[in-house]
Amino acid sequence: MSRLTEPLTVGRVVGEVVDSFNPCVKMSVIYNSNKQVSNGHELMPSVIATRPHVEIGGEDMRTAFTLIMTDPDAPSPSDPYLREHLHWIVTDIPGTTDASFGREIVSYETPKPVIGIHRYAFILFKQRARQTVRPPASRDNFNTRSFSEENGLGLPVAAVYFNAQRETAARRR
């Protein structure tokens, strides 16, 4: 197991959301200009209310990527019967740019965890060609593996996840 995917395996993103893969593209996810997403770290719901800035590495701008953000713990970690809930999909992102240069096919939905600690995963795939990825039928019962297979995306090239839970008045202080 790669040292890069070990936190994803411990956090059960590898296993429950995607199969084991070899990270080969640099991806950086930043909320509110200063909160970088790191595997397993917690972010407050107030921080993740607006879509993040996602920078993508890659060989060059001719390469296209698809970014998926999903919650494998919906509606609650103890009973994730909606696994997975889809929060965002951006396709046709040119390499060496950021997600704002891509085509948003599923708009960003603010995570609102109600019960328990939820994992939110950003999964990056390299596309074989531009404009080949189709939107899924629904946000609920989304399956990253099936979506990847249906759209010919293969294994991920990068991934990162964070945790979030409901923000009580006491936690906001």
Side-chain angles (χ1 to χ4, degrees), residues 9-64:
T9 303
V10 171
R12 298 181 332 274
V13 171
V14 168
E16 291 182 5
V17 180
V18 295
D19 293 324
S20 189
F21 68 98
N22 183 26
C24 55
V25 173
K26 190 170 168 36
M27 175 175 68
S28 172
V29 181
I30 302 165
Y31 278 97
N32 291 340
S33 304
N34 65 350
K35 296 285 186 191
Q36 177 138 3
V37 173
S38 297
N39 285 320
H41 289 210
E42 184 174 353
L43 294 176
M44 298 294 168
S46 57
V47 170
I48 56 178
T50 57
R51 75 175 171 216
H53 178 78
V54 181
E55 294 178 8
I56 310 291
E59 301 92 41
D60 57 46
M61 290 183 72
R62 292 180 302 238
T63 309

Side-chain angles (χ1 to χ4, degrees), residues 31-150:
Y31 278 97
N32 291 340
S33 304
N34 65 350
K35 296 285 186 191
Q36 177 138 3
V37 173
S38 297
N39 285 320
H41 289 210
E42 184 174 353
L43 294 176
M44 298 294 168
S46 57
V47 170
I48 56 178
T50 57
R51 75 175 171 216
H53 178 78
V54 181
E55 294 178 8
I56 310 291
E59 301 92 41
D60 57 46
M61 290 183 72
R62 292 180 302 238
T63 309
F65 294 92
T66 292
L67 175 70
I68 296 173
M69 179 187 178
T70 184
D71 173 2
D73 299 318
S76 77
S78 60
D79 186 20
Y81 65 85
L82 294 178
R83 176 176 290 162
E84 305 160 35
H85 182 79
L86 179 63
H87 282 270
W88 195 29
I89 297 182
V90 182
T91 65
D92 301 330
I93 306 167
T96 71
T97 66
D98 64 70
S100 69
F101 289 92
R103 188 169 61 102
E104 188 177 65
I105 63 170
V106 176
S107 62
Y108 183 78
E109 181 182 277
T110 301
K112 294 183 176 121
V114 178
I115 300 168
I117 299 170
H118 289 244
R119 296 166 293 161
Y120 295 93
F122 292 92
I123 314 291
L124 187 69
F125 294 93
K126 184 175 179 178
Q127 294 175 218
R128 287 186 174 77
R130 292 187 191 275
Q131 298 187 357
T132 56
V133 178
R134 294 174 310 283
S138 170
R139 287 182 186 262
D140 287 332
N141 299 112
F142 180 78
N143 185 295
T144 300
R145 281 185 186 95
S146 297
F147 183 81
S148 169
E149 194 175 302
E150 290 161 11

